Amino acid sequence: MHGYETIMFTIPREQWVTSNSRLHHYEKAKRVKILRETGAIQARAQKISHYAQPVQLMIGIGYPTAARSDPSNSEPTVKGLVDGMTDAGVFKDDDSEHVTVLSFYRFLEKSPKSTHTVRITVIPENSRYYIPIRETFAKMKRTKNRPDVRKILRRVSSGMAGAKEADQLKELLDTMDDRYKTLRMQKI
């Protein structure tokens, strides 16, 4: 094992569910059930390891077109697949104690026509690729000067952030980067 495992799914358009889908709840439940079964079957077929320790999931979404997209909108589809992987025993559970990070990105390769590709990369805690995000925040000193991360991210994502929020976010990311480098040096 290289410190991570990857499992690929090709999902037909008829089973694809997004946060923006306006489906009747029976239709959505039917699709999610199929996705859950698909996740369990593929995890068993590809012999994905079983993880007792926390993991991070990197979710790559492939689209059939080159049009702009929002990969995080595929969360309902991914949730069904991850639930299936949990059913197959890949994770003890998919709660925040076992799956610490769920990160979405656009997979650069186009998927076949009328399908979407989902690439789930599982990074276990003992891997050299694991980024200790929770640990970094837990060890940061709590001071009155510490920025409210949620507030900053809300303002940045809404486009209302000013120079002050941008500087605070840069400082926070630099702190995390420094902490990550320190931890990487300790592992080597």
Side-chain angles (χ1 to χ4, degrees):
M1 188 165 89
H2 302 286
Y4 61 88
E5 287 184 275
T6 299
I7 183 169
M8 294 285 287
F9 301 93
T10 301
I11 309 297
R13 182 182 355 188
E14 299 79 33
Q15 293 175 5
W16 191 250
V17 184
T18 69
S19 300
N20 297 334
S21 298
R22 295 192 191 314
L23 298 172
H24 189 275
H25 60 276
Y26 289 127
E27 176 62 23
K28 182 178 178 183
K30 186 173 114 180
R31 290 183 185 194
V32 170
K33 181 180 179 186
I34 293 169
L35 290 166
R36 188 173 188 144
E37 291 168 355
T38 301
I41 290 167
Q42 286 291 340
R44 288 183 187 112
Q46 294 185 32
K47 297 181 179 161
I48 300 296
S49 301
H50 300 273
Y51 297 96
Q53 76 270 36
V55 298
Q56 295 175 344
L57 300 181
M58 301 296 290
I59 313 295
I61 306 297
Y63 295 87
T65 67
R68 288 180 49 185
S69 62
D70 184 356
S72 62
N73 273 342
S74 63
E75 189 276 331
T77 295
V78 171
K79 175 69 173 143
L81 296 171
V82 170
D83 283 346
M85 292 171 69
T86 303
D87 294 344
V90 175
F91 321 113
K92 282 186 177 181
D93 196 358
D94 61 346
D95 62 5
S96 62
E97 291 300 312
H98 296 91
V99 178
T100 60
V101 173
L102 196 72
S103 180
F104 291 85
Y105 66 96
R106 182 173 183 148
F107 190 53
L108 296 179
E109 294 178 24
K110 278 188 175 181
S111 63
K113 188 176 181 179
S114 300
T115 66
H116 287 81
T117 306
V118 178
R119 176 183 181 171
I120 300 178
T121 303
V122 182
I123 305 169
E125 185 178 46
N126 61 358
S127 166
R128 65 186 183 137
Y129 300 105
Y130 186 85
I131 301 172
I133 295 171
R134 286 190 319 170
E135 296 84 349
T136 301
F137 278 110
K139 291 180 181 178
M140 286 177 73
K141 293 181 181 176
R142 296 198 182 275
T143 65
K144 289 184 178 182
N145 298 347
R146 182 173 178 229
D148 183 353
V149 177
R150 289 187 189 101
K151 183 178 176 182
I152 293 169
L153 291 176
R154 238 181 284 126
R155 290 182 59 82
V156 168
S157 66
S158 68
M160 295 175 55
K164 179 182 175 187
E165 286 88 0
D167 290 342
Q168 287 176 328
L169 188 58
K170 183 184 180 315
E171 181 181 325
L172 178 67
L173 292 173
D174 288 345
T175 304
M176 286 179 61
D177 190 45
D178 292 343
R179 181 67 185 142
Y180 172 71
K181 286 176 185 172
T182 303
L183 290 171
R184 291 277 294 138
M185 294 299 284
Q186 290 172 357
K187 287 185 177 182
I188 293 176

